């Protein structure tokens, strides 16, 4: 012990000395601690399904808060129009052509596709049905750097042996091979990785509670909390109280008088209005759940040391599945090649880096989450991981990034009317190449958000140049392509489409009108919930 410390000790001042040392060093240690990360991924949430995105029917104050406190990317994209490919891209930083999952896991391929009775022209190619063990996921990279990693909710990236705990997550609450809630959104659940809750418990609220509990238990170490909701995927299920709330709201807004909610667009009927009270209730439960997690972060004093990311895996379901929402003014929705199928809410709050209330018009992609989060956490991208994305940190700081093209490849048919196609976006220009007939469509998104006017023949040189760039990318990433069904019957397909446009539309209109009737009665597997 030095003479100085001996003097302090002899005078009974040693404990006071330690107190002041701790006082000055404590903040330094706190600031040196790596930031926490809360990543929130919603299933099938549309680009315009939130209050801050312009919805006047749905209510989302907690999610809106994330957008207001961080940076909002107004042209944020998923890497695919369906879920599994986009989810794999987020945690690998790669395009679907490179990680190999090019459609939702469980989708039919080859001749099996023709057994679905849709009379399509092409056979979709095979794809990887499990996330490769060789991928160094975001969770693995962070775990290797001292982070505690947690996953809650939908996984859908492979069967047993390729679940969250096989890809870097220490804890898994509810993630397994299926893409939807096997027994619906209220307990009892049919999920091998989620303990049973009391009958009527909301799965959506439960996942938020599990995440908040994890944060409470690991508040003293850096963590990655990956909250991946099953909602707002079908089946659409709400509570009686929330159904009544939004049914009454629709009435006040004059929406109940609507007798035409759908228009036929190429292959399926597409919803044109946001007025479904059940879906609105799902949005509110989602928002409540996220509010639970945000409140826990605030309560524990972690607000200034927690990065918060928010996005969706594909567009809102305007056709197919539950036909639950409208993405207007964007065309199409989940499963489709237009903006409604791939453009998403895309928010990033990075305290000390992003400015509250800031926004960016630069097109960004799901491949960018991986390098961005790692840079914010001071972690280098693993050399073995061939990442396609770029860090968005310069944009968060108000700086620029190099111009680049973004790409999509979906050689499959979507359950929601999507067509086998590939896409390239360069700035405001978007080219879609179709595999059934080899045609190209060209849109200027700045002037034509709804992709109503095809400019391919007006701008032949631009179309040709963008197509060459797209073809080169497809070749360099070993993309797989569909093949022709030699038994294709055009007459049968035409008859099917005509039936969808007539009888199918009548059924849809009645079903969705019934949602707003005072005596509406839903399926008994969820109406018994007492949660409000």
């Amino acid at each position: 012990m030095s003479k100085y410390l001996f003097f302090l000790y002899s005078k009974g001042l040693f404990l006071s000395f330690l107190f002041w040392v701790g006082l000055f060093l404590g903040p330094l240690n706190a600031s040196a601690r790596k930031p926490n990360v809360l990543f929130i991924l919603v299933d099938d949430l549309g680009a315009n399904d939130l209050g801050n995105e312009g919805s006047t029917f749905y209510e989302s104050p907690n999610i809106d808060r994330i957008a207001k406190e961080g940076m909002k990317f107004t042209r944020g994209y998923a890497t695919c129009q369906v879920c599994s490919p986009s989810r794999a891209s987020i945690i690998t930083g790669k395009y679907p052509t490179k990680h190999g999952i090019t459609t939702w896991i469980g989708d039919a391929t080859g001749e099996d596709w023709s057994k679905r009775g849709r009379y399509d022209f092409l056979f979709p190619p095979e794809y990887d049905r499990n996330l490769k063990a060789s991928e160094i996921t975001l969770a693995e990279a962070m775990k290797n750097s001292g982070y505690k990693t947690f996953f809650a909710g939908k996984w859908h990236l492979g069967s047993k042996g390729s679940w969250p705990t096989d890809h870097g997550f220490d804890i898994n609450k509810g993630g397994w091979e299926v893409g939807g809630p096997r027994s619906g959104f209220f307990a009892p659940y049919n999920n091998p990785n989620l303990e049973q809750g009391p009958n009527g418990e909301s799965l959506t609220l439960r996942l938020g509670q599990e995440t908040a509990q994890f944060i409470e238990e690991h508040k003293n170490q850096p963590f990655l909390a990956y909250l991946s909701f099953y909602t707002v995927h079908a089946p659409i299920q709400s509570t009686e109280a929330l159904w009544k709330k939004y049914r009454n709201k629709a009435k006040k807004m004059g929406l109940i008088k609507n007798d035409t909610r759908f228009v036929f667009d190429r292959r399926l009927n597409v919803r044109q209005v946001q007025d479904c009270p059940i879906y609105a209730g799902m949005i509110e439960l989602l928002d409540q759940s996220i509010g639970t997690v945000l409140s826990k972060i605030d309560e524990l004093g972690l607000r200034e040391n927690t990065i918060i990311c928010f996005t969706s895996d594909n567009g809102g379901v305007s056709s197919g599945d539950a036909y639950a929402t409208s993405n207007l003014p964007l065309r199409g929705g989940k499963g489709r090649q237009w903006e409604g199928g791939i453009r998403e809410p895309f928010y990033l709050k990075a305290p000390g880096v992003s400015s509250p209330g800031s926004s960016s018009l630069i097109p960004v992609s799901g491949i960018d989450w991986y390098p961005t989060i790692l840079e914010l956490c001071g972690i280098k991208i693993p050399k073995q991981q061939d990442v396609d994305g770029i860090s968005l940190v310069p944009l968060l700081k108000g700086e620029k990034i190099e111009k680049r093209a973004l790409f999509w490849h979906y050689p499959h048919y979507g359950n929601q009317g999507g067509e086998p196609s590939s896409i390239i976006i360069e700035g405001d220009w978007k080219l879609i190449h179709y595999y059934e007939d080899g045609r190209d469509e060209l849109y200027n998104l700045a002037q034509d958000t709804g992709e109503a006017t095809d400019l391919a023949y007006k701008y032949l040189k631009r179309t040709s140049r963008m197509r060459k760039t797209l073809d080169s990318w497809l070749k360099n990433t070993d993309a797989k392509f569909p093949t022709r069904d030699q038994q294709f019957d055009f007459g049968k397909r035409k008859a099917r489409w005509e039936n969808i446009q007539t009888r199918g539309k009548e059924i849809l209109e009645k079903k969705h009108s019934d949602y707003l009737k005072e005596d509406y009665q839903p399926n008994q597997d969820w109406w018994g919930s007492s949660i409000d």
Side-chain angles (χ1 to χ4, degrees):
M1 184 180 298
S2 68
K3 293 182 180 180
Y4 180 68
L5 293 182
F6 179 80
F7 172 77
L8 291 176
Y9 181 81
S10 65
K11 296 297 183 179
L13 299 176
F14 188 65
L15 293 178
S16 178
F17 171 79
L18 291 179
F19 168 80
W20 287 106
V21 170
L23 183 66
F24 283 104
L25 291 183
L28 293 176
N29 291 335
S31 63
R33 172 181 157 174
K34 292 181 179 180
N36 309 307
V37 176
L38 169 63
F39 194 98
I40 303 172
L41 178 60
V42 186
D43 196 11
D44 293 355
L45 185 73
N48 298 311
D49 280 351
L50 304 172
N52 83 91
E53 297 289 356
S55 177
T56 57
F57 188 59
Y58 310 139
E59 299 176 13
S60 54
N62 292 300
I63 302 173
D64 296 343
R65 169 187 155 186
I66 299 173
K68 293 174 183 176
E69 292 182 353
M71 174 167 278
K72 176 176 174 178
F73 293 87
T74 58
R75 291 188 64 191
Y77 291 95
T79 62
C80 188
Q81 46 267 62
V82 295
C83 59
S84 296
S86 297
R87 290 168 177 268
S89 291
I90 289 171
I91 64 171
T92 65
K94 296 181 178 182
Y95 279 117
T97 48
K98 286 172 67 173
H99 60 60
I101 303 173
T102 54
T103 188
W104 59 275
I105 295 176
D107 199 5
T109 60
E111 293 185 6
D112 287 341
W113 179 257
S114 62
K115 297 175 183 178
R116 295 194 171 187
R118 299 184 184 178
Y119 310 112
D120 286 317
F121 185 67
L122 301 172
F123 287 147
E126 190 50 72
Y127 59 93
D128 288 348
R129 296 170 187 256
N130 290 284
L131 185 65
K132 296 185 183 72
S134 59
E135 298 287 357
I136 304 174
T137 67
L138 177 66
E140 287 175 310
M142 296 183 73
K143 182 177 180 178
N144 292 339
S145 296
Y147 277 77
K148 189 70 175 180
T149 55
F150 169 88
F151 184 92
K154 175 174 173 175
W155 178 244
H156 206 189
L157 291 177
S159 54
K160 193 170 184 178
S162 185
W163 285 354
T165 49
D166 300 303
H167 291 284
F169 289 99
D170 296 312
I171 301 169
N172 171 32
K173 297 289 184 178
W176 61 310
E177 60 201 67
V178 302
R182 181 61 63 84
S183 297
F185 284 100
F186 296 94
Y189 312 121
N190 182 10
N191 188 317
N193 293 326
L194 187 65
E195 294 179 7
Q196 199 61 262
N199 287 352
E201 177 185 64
S202 164
L203 173 61
T204 302
L205 295 182
R206 169 72 177 278
L207 294 177
Q209 292 161 0
E210 291 282 359
T211 305
Q213 181 178 338
F214 165 79
I215 293 173
E216 172 80 54
E217 294 173 352
H218 298 279
K219 58 182 179 291
N220 293 321
Q221 65 183 115
F223 60 77
L224 165 65
Y226 201 104
L227 176 52
S228 176
F229 287 100
Y230 281 98
T231 201
V232 289
H233 191 285
I236 53 171
Q237 297 176 338
S238 184
T239 66
E240 182 173 10
L242 288 174
W243 170 79
K244 286 182 178 178
K245 172 183 175 178
Y246 287 100
R247 191 267 172 194
N248 293 336
K249 183 173 183 178
K251 184 177 181 179
K252 290 180 180 178
M253 294 175 65
L255 298 174
I256 289 181
K257 298 179 181 179
N258 287 333
D259 56 4
T260 302
R261 292 178 171 83
F262 297 91
V263 298
F264 186 82
D265 187 0
R266 202 169 285 183
R267 290 169 181 255
L268 280 180
N269 298 297
V270 183
R271 188 180 246 279
Q272 302 294 295
V273 61
Q274 294 182 348
D275 71 351
C276 179
I278 307 171
Y279 188 77
M282 295 180 76
I283 295 283
E284 180 158 330
L285 283 174
L286 166 70
D287 193 71
Q288 286 181 20
S289 185
I290 292 172
T292 296
V293 182
L294 298 181
S295 294
K296 178 59 66 173
I297 288 173
D298 290 345
E299 173 193 325
L300 297 174
L302 301 175
R303 187 170 184 173
E304 296 306 315
N305 196 43
T306 301
I307 297 163
I308 301 177
C309 310
F310 180 91
T311 194
S312 174
D313 58 355
N314 49 247
V317 186
S318 58
S319 58
D321 300 354
Y323 292 85
T325 193
S326 169
N327 298 302
L328 292 178
L330 304 181
R331 184 178 180 183
K334 176 183 178 180
R336 308 196 115 186
Q337 58 276 7
W338 298 300
E339 292 293 279
I342 58 177
R343 197 183 294 195
E344 316 301 332
F346 200 111
Y347 314 145
L348 207 169
K349 175 187 175 184
V353 182
S354 59
S355 299
S358 56
S359 64
S360 173
L361 299 172
I362 304 298
V364 297
S365 168
I367 55 175
D368 299 327
W369 288 113
Y370 187 107
T372 301
I373 292 172
L374 291 188
E375 180 174 346
L376 288 171
C377 295
I379 303 171
K380 292 184 178 180
I381 296 173
K383 292 182 179 179
Q384 306 94 315
Q385 189 70 7
D386 183 16
V387 171
D388 293 311
I390 62 171
S391 173
L392 304 179
V393 171
L395 294 179
L396 296 177
K397 294 179 178 179
E399 301 169 0
K400 296 181 179 180
I401 58 173
E402 290 187 15
K403 291 183 179 180
R404 58 173 175 162
L406 295 178
F407 301 94
W408 289 260
H409 181 58
Y410 187 61
H412 307 269
Y413 289 97
N415 289 335
Q416 305 78 20
E419 303 161 61
S421 57
S422 296
I423 303 168
I424 177 175
I425 288 181
E426 292 180 339
D428 292 332
W429 292 94
K430 176 179 179 179
L431 181 140
I432 306 173
H433 174 68
Y434 293 88
Y435 291 103
E436 281 198 346
D437 57 10
R439 78 184 187 282
D440 296 317
E441 291 176 351
L442 181 69
Y443 299 103
N444 185 304
L445 298 176
Q447 300 173 4
D448 182 20
T449 304
E451 295 168 278
T453 304
D454 178 10
L455 301 173
Y457 289 100
K458 184 176 181 180
Y459 296 99
L460 292 174
K461 289 185 178 180
R462 176 178 289 278
T463 299
S464 176
R465 181 182 59 77
M466 290 181 69
R467 174 67 187 282
K468 287 180 181 178
T469 303
L470 175 61
D471 287 345
S472 177
W473 176 80
L474 291 168
K475 181 179 179 180
N476 292 336
T477 57
D478 296 322
K480 296 179 180 179
F481 301 95
T483 55
R484 183 175 178 179
D485 179 358
Q486 299 297 329
Q487 304 301 317
F488 171 72
D489 188 323
F490 182 78
K492 289 182 178 180
R493 183 162 78 169
K494 182 180 179 182
R496 178 175 180 267
W497 288 356
E498 288 176 350
N499 183 61
I500 290 172
Q501 193 171 1
T502 54
R503 177 59 178 158
K505 185 174 183 295
E506 290 177 7
I507 293 172
L508 271 178
E509 295 287 6
K510 182 181 185 307
K511 182 177 182 179
H512 286 260
S513 177
D514 287 348
Y515 289 154
L516 290 161
K517 290 183 177 179
E518 292 183 356
D519 60 350
Y520 171 70
Q521 290 294 319
N523 297 329
Q524 293 303 309
D525 60 349
W526 61 276
W527 198 248
S529 172
S530 61
I531 301 170
D532 53 32

